[in-house]
Each structure stands twice: as C-alpha cells, then as structure tokens.
C-alpha cells in the first residue's frame, strides 16, 4: 500500500469525483459562515430557488463588522453605529433565521471570530474538511483537519451541494525540531518560517507542520501557526493528531459523545503521515535558533528578529525584491539600519484570529502585570477572540490586569485586524499588532503594522517601543 501524508489521507477520505483534467469534487463536513462573504451566496441561492443542502453542517457568527466597545455592543445589532456594518450583521441574522442555521449572534456568549469559535465549540474536528469564506480558515488544520478559505461563489456552491470543486495540492513538510527558548512563541515560529520561505514559499501546497517544536506545542499554539500558513502562500496548514489534539477536543459542545467519541478517537489516531510518506517539498528550521520576531515592512515575509536592524535594500541582489523593500520602507517611515528596538509605537493591538485565545490573553497579561502603559502609546486594546475567551479571562482576573496597566479590555471580534469596524489606525501610526497581515492600509488608511507575538505586543505597550521580551521574563 502506498504511504500517505496526512493531507493525502484527508483528501482521499473526502474525494467524491476525480476528473482527468486534475479537477476534483470533495465533500465538505463543516461550513462556517460570517457576515462578510455570505450575503451574496444566500442571494444566489434564492435567485436559483435553492436551499442549503445540509443545514446542520453550517455554523454562523458575525465577526468582522461587530463593534468592540461595551457601549456600542449593549443594544446588539441595533446599537451598531456604522450603517454598513449594521446591515451586514442584520443580513446574516436574517439569512440564518430564514434557513434555520445555527448562529452565535452578536451578543450570544459564544459569538466570536469564525476561526476561534470553530475549534472552541467543537464544530471543527479532526479529520473534517472545513471551509469558510475567509482565508484564515486554515487555522482549523491544527486539529488534523483539511481546512481552507473559499470565495463567495464557492460559499454558495457549498451551501447548495455540500461539495467543493478543488484541485489536489502538493505536499509540503515544514519541520521544526529543537526546543523553543523562553519568550519564544508559536507566532515567532511561524513568522520565522515565513521569513525563510517567503510569502510564495507554500504556493500550490498544503503544509504539514512537523517536528519536535509542534509536537510540544499546545493546540492554541498550533492554531496560531496554521492560521498563518496562508501568509506563506499555502491554502492549508495542518498538524498531525496526537494526545494534545484529542484532549483539546474532548467534551466540547459539538464533539461526539459516548460510544461515538470512542469510535471517533480510534479513527482520528490514523490522522498522521505514514513514516515513509514522501513530501514534494521539505523545509527544515531549528527551533532553538528562533528568537522573538518583528515585521518591519508591508508583507509578512519582511520580518527580522527583535535584536536586528531594519534591512538595507541596497544589500538585496534581486531587483524586484529591492524595489519592494524600498517602497515598504517609505510606507513604513523607517530607515535601513534603524534598530528594531528604536521603532517608536503609537498603538498596540492584541487580538485577531491569530492571537486572541486564552493562552494569548494569559501570556500578554503576565507581561503587563504590575506595569503601566507608556504615555506615548495613544491606545492599547486587548480583544478576546470570543465571548467564551472573554468569560474565561475575566474569571481569571486578566481583564483587571490589563485595565490596571492602562490597556483597554474589549468585546470579542476582528477589531483592529482589518479596519472594517470602528477600530482603526490613523495615517502614519505605528502599531504593534498580534494579527497576521501587515499590508498597506490593512489596519487603517496609511497605518503601519508590525506583526509580533502577544508577549512582544504587551511589552511594547509598556515600553512604547519594541523590546526583547525575553529580558522581561
Ligand atoms: S481576525 Fe483578521 S484575519 Fe482573522 S478573520 Fe478577522 S479579519 Fe480575518
């Protein structure tokens, strides 16, 4: 029997039809929807006189357009000040109500960012195919699932047929062995990977993250890494199932129970790459060499360690890359040779589907505890990824730790990750952000994003600039 990778196994288990031209139809187990990419899909269904084919496979929640201040959230959808956001969220509610779709609505305690609530609720499980009209659906690959983002027309197609037209990707293994040092986080690992392979490094591939570093990593850490597989050019990232996966899934609301649980766990144990499976591409890093990372430019590959300086485009031999670096430095208002620790910051954002889970909240709180936000930081906001994360953090007193330090504690949502709600950067402002994209204007027109871990963002809020958080731990 041919040895298979984890991706091969997931693909084969869901293959409905393979065509000679390479295209295929795969079955979709879980469809997560939100307010941004679903309205046109539902409209298309209505125009065609169709209904969702398997309503119980769908879970909905609003995330991009929800405000994060307690005042604006108090009256639910009617309290949303921005008219476009209000329509988006109301339309999701209406569509879910009319088709009988389960939705964690704006003030449901389970509401949150789509990629946080999927694993948290147990709606996304090992061995599943998971799609959502949002590229960071790759997050769910941490469970040993095949998960990726889809476009609006594909959302409609999956709603109507429960299937997706897809093409099998290449197998890529990113292997990180060694042991991470103190203060070095999953975010640093994935930023170091992207810095090494570039934002096109995973093009056409499904990445499996393997090696000791991932075996030792918590599920939430694995989610952070898989979340950013998309920034490395891959459509999906995944980690093999092990005891950490099983323990995480157990007793979650949507997870199987009783004898179904026993059967499911037996099946999930097979979700590892065979020992002699062959990968098309293999990349290796030594985890012991990684130190906290900070992005300096306008692409997630424009990253250096906090101990480094802003790179000099003149030293880049590739003319296209050199032009990109020069443009990025102009946009970011930085100079070649400037030390990363000299970059002065205006705002701090701790949140997003990359880093808004309870472990992220705990890690950031541990750094700011007993300290005060720098006066030069205009605003530092901490946005939990879901209502349940918020509840847990408050039960542990983390909200108080943040507010005592001068940081703001917000309601769950995408918030300042992408400037589709009231949380935005002003033009020219530098932000230490735990999100996943630092493109021009991503956090607001003219805003300057630096991608970092929650620990690094928390330290930056206190110092007003980047510091090597390892020195504080
Ligand atoms: S937090 Fe950011 S990247 Fe994640 S789903 Fe929301 S907007 Fe997209």
């Amino acid at each position: 029997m041919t040895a298979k990778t984890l991706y091969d196994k997931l693909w084969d288990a869901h293959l409905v039809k393979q065509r000679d031209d390479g295209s295929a139809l795969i079955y979709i187990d879980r469809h997560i929807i939100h307010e941004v990419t679903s309205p046109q899909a539902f409209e298309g269904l209505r125009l065609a006189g169709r209904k969702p084919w398997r309503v119980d496979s769908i879970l909905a929640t609003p995330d991009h357009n929800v405000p994060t201040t307690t005042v604006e959230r108090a009256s639910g959808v009617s309290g949303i000040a921005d008219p476009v956001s209000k329509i988006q969220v109301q339309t999701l509610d209406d569509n879910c109500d009319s088709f009988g779709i389960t939705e964690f609505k704006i003030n449901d305690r389970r509401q949150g960012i789509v990629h946080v609530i999927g694993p948290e609720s147990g709606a996304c499980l090992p061995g599943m195919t998971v799609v959502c009209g949002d590229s960071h659906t790759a997050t769910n690959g941490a469970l040993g699932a095949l998960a990726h983002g889809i476009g609006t027309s594909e959302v409609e197609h999956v709603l109507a047929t429960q299937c997706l037209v897809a093409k099998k990707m290449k197998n890529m293994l990113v292997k990180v062995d060694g042991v991470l040092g103190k203060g070095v986080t999953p975010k640093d690992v994935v930023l170091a990977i992207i810095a090494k392979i570039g934002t096109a490094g995973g093009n056409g591939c499904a990445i499996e993250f393997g090696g000791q570093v991932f075996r030792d990593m918590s599920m939430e850490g694995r989610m952070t890494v898989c979340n950013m597989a998309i920034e490395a050019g891959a459509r999906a990232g995944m980690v093999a199932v092990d005891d950490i996966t099983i323990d995480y899934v157990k007793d979650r609301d949507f997870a199987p129970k009783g004898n179904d649980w026993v059967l499911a766990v037996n099946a999930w144990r097979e979700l590892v790459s065979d020992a002699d499976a062959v990968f098309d591409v293999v990349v290796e890093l030594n985890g012991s060499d990684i130190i906290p990372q900070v992005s300096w430019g306008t692409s997630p590959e424009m990253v250096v360690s906090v101990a480094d300086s802003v790179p000099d485009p003149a030293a880049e031999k590739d003319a296209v890359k050199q032009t990109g670096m020069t443009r990025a430095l102009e946009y970011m208002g930085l100079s070649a040779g400037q030390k990363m620790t000299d970059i002065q910051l205006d705002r701090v954002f701790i949140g997003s589907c990359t880093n808004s889970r309870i472990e992220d909240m705990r890690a950031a709180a541990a750094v700011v505890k007993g300290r005060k936000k720098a006066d030069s930081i205009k605003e530092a906001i901490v946005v939990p990824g879901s209502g349940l994360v918020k509840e847990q953090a408050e039960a542990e007193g983390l909200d108080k730790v943040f507010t005592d330090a001068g940081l703001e504690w917000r309601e769950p949502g995408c918030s300042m990750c992408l400037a589709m709600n009231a949380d935005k950067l002003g033009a020219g402002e530098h932000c230490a952000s735990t999100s996943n994209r630092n493109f021009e204007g991503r956090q607001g027109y003219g805003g300057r994003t630096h991608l970092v871990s929650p620990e690094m963002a928390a330290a930056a809020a206190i110092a007003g600039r980047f510091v090597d958080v390892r020195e504080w731990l």
Side-chain angles (χ1 to χ4, degrees), residues 63-64 113-115 134 136 352-353 414 417-418 436 442:
D63 55 6
H64 284 53
I113 305 171
V114 275
H115 315 309
D134 188 285
H136 294 95
S352 87
C353 57
C414 294
C417 176
L418 89 165
N436 45 46
R442 170 73 175 180

Side-chain angles (χ1 to χ4, degrees), residues 28 30-45 50-54 57-60 92 95 101 130-135 137 148-165 235:
I28 300 303
R30 179 64 71 194
H31 191 182
I32 311 280
I33 61 172
H34 61 173
E35 77 276 25
V36 183
T37 46
S38 68
Q40 304 89 329
F42 281 111
E43 189 57 26
L45 277 192
R50 297 190 178 109
K51 292 190 293 193
W53 191 76
R54 227 195 88 202
S57 74
I58 310 167
L59 177 63
L92 179 69
N95 282 324
I101 292 167
V130 179
V131 293
C132 173
D134 188 285
S135 55
T137 309
H148 55 72
I150 54 176
T152 295
S153 60
E154 292 173 311
V155 171
E156 182 184 343
H157 192 272
V158 174
L159 285 172
T161 67
Q162 210 60 36
C163 289
L164 179 71
V165 177
R235 204 171 174 205

